[in-house]
Amino acid sequence: MDNEIIISGQNMELTDSLKASVETKMSKLFTHDDRIIRLRVELSYKPNKSHSNEFWAKGHIEIQGPDMIVTVASDDMYKSIDDLIVKLVRKIRRRHRLERIKRKAC
């Protein structure tokens, strides 16, 4: 199956290095669960007066069952992407753990 990663930007220019970074890091998620259909990543810049948490990364995993959506904000776009990966992996592992518990209970 061909793994699809869709990257979009809001209020910012998506550079080639940013796209490449997202694709290499997000492609690792497909190894955690082979039921992932599509990954959508939305990167956005939301300026504010305090200049904190201006870079947002939103991840949307289309998977069999309910979709997983995670949003992260930080002062650096690459840090937001890294935090997003960590949260998505944690969410995938939690789903697997709950499925195992549910199978054992039956």
Side-chain angles (χ1 to χ4, degrees):
M1 184 195 300
D2 187 26
N3 299 330
E4 186 178 3
I5 301 173
I6 301 168
I7 305 167
S8 61
Q10 187 178 15
N11 297 333
M12 64 180 295
E13 177 97 21
L14 287 179
T15 62
D16 291 337
S17 63
L18 196 57
K19 286 181 188 177
S21 175
V22 170
E23 284 189 19
T24 54
K25 291 176 182 181
M26 285 293 178
S27 62
K28 294 175 187 171
L29 290 176
F30 289 104
T31 61
H32 289 283
D33 196 333
D34 57 350
R35 297 176 297 173
I36 295 175
I37 300 164
R38 185 177 303 116
L39 284 173
R40 271 193 257 138
V41 180
E42 184 179 304
L43 307 175
S44 59
Y45 174 68
K46 298 179 182 176
N48 58 42
K49 288 185 180 179
S50 66
H51 297 292
S52 63
N53 295 338
E54 291 185 315
F55 295 97
W56 291 65
K58 180 179 179 183
H60 183 120
I61 297 179
E62 292 181 31
I63 191 169
Q64 294 172 359
D67 291 354
M68 297 182 205
I69 302 170
V70 174
T71 305
V72 176
S74 76
D75 301 336
D76 177 51
M77 183 51 76
Y78 289 98
K79 184 177 182 333
S80 293
I81 294 166
D82 291 341
D83 292 347
L84 179 68
I85 300 288
V86 168
K87 284 193 172 188
L88 287 171
V89 167
R90 193 178 303 147
K91 206 161 179 126
I92 290 171
R93 286 185 178 157
R94 181 175 188 273
R95 176 182 263 185
H96 280 295
R97 189 176 67 247
L98 292 175
E99 285 173 354
R100 260 195 326 270
I101 291 170
K102 193 173 181 181
R103 275 192 301 246
K104 286 182 182 178
C106 292

